[in-house]
Amino acid sequence: KSVNLFSGISYYSPIEEEWWIEAKENGVSYGKLQFHEGYDSQAMGFGFRIDDENGNLLGVMRVLVSIEDLLLDISGEAEIVNNQNRNVILLDDEGRIIFSNGIQDTTDTKPVSYYQQIVDGKNIGVLELEDQGDDIKLISYAKSTGYKTFEGFDWTVIIEQNNSSIVDEF
């Protein structure tokens, strides 16, 4: 933030910020999910390069999108989310829960206990964990791999279910 000495008007110039530089150079940038007071929620910033008809830079536009809007399609409409025998979880790039039976606050939370096994595994996989009693908990996961030039958010979708619940469905 700077102040014009003649008019006393302050203005903000983001041209030295990482998101602005990245969007200028790559056409798009996206930040990490973090709490934003204006939304009273977690949100993610996206930057988009704007060019004129000759491809010359006009500027960069930044948009904040709330976690509620990002997860609108899975926050209650998807059939798999509403299945009582399964728990659908979305993890951020550090293994913290973003979504589990609703949107979660990742502030000061720790990664799920089995996150390192997912990091060390393939893009899609299944883990078997001992659950309470004689049952086995199945953890099916898929890592975000992106699409074309978009690298993805490095999030992971997980479906937790007990081995016995699979048999019960048959």
Side-chain angles (χ1 to χ4, degrees):
K1 195 172 193 179
S2 300
V3 177
N4 184 316
L5 295 176
F6 296 106
S7 68
I9 298 172
S10 65
Y11 64 93
Y12 167 72
S13 178
I15 63 173
E16 293 181 6
E17 292 196 32
E18 188 175 321
W19 65 266
W20 197 94
I21 295 167
E22 185 178 340
K24 177 186 170 194
E25 293 174 1
N26 301 326
V28 66
S29 69
Y30 59 93
K32 291 198 175 272
L33 191 62
Q34 54 187 271
F35 185 80
H36 288 270
E37 287 187 29
Y39 281 104
D40 193 28
S41 173
Q42 296 180 78
M44 182 178 278
F46 296 86
F48 301 97
R49 179 185 168 118
I50 302 171
D51 293 335
D52 66 12
E53 62 274 355
N54 297 320
N56 300 313
L57 176 70
L58 291 175
V60 173
M61 176 179 64
R62 184 167 190 225
V63 177
L64 284 176
V65 180
S66 73
I67 186 68
E68 289 83 5
D69 289 333
L70 285 169
L71 301 181
L72 188 62
D73 288 337
I74 70 165
S75 63
E77 298 298 321
E79 184 177 324
I80 196 163
V81 173
N82 296 319
N83 187 316
Q84 293 179 358
N85 295 324
R86 296 184 185 113
N87 186 23
V88 177
I89 299 172
L90 180 63
L91 303 178
D92 68 8
D93 61 337
E94 296 178 24
R96 299 173 302 189
I97 296 175
I98 299 172
F99 178 92
S100 176
N101 295 322
I103 295 168
Q104 306 295 312
D105 182 7
T106 59
T107 309
D108 300 325
T109 59
K110 294 184 177 14
V112 294
S113 60
Y114 49 83
Y115 184 63
Q116 193 56 50
Q117 291 175 275
I118 292 172
V119 170
D120 294 341
K122 299 176 182 176
N123 286 337
I124 299 172
V126 177
L127 304 173
E128 292 183 6
L129 304 175
E130 286 188 29
D131 200 10
Q132 300 160 347
D134 295 331
D135 211 354
I136 293 176
K137 184 179 280 189
L138 296 176
I139 309 293
S140 305
Y141 68 88
K143 299 176 186 177
S144 170
T145 57
Y147 180 72
K148 294 187 179 182
T149 60
F150 175 60
E151 296 176 8
F153 298 134
D154 292 326
W155 292 354
T156 304
V157 175
I158 294 176
I159 300 174
E160 286 184 344
Q161 57 189 337
N162 289 334
N163 195 22
S164 61
S165 71
I166 296 171
V167 176
D168 290 345
E169 288 184 28
F170 288 109

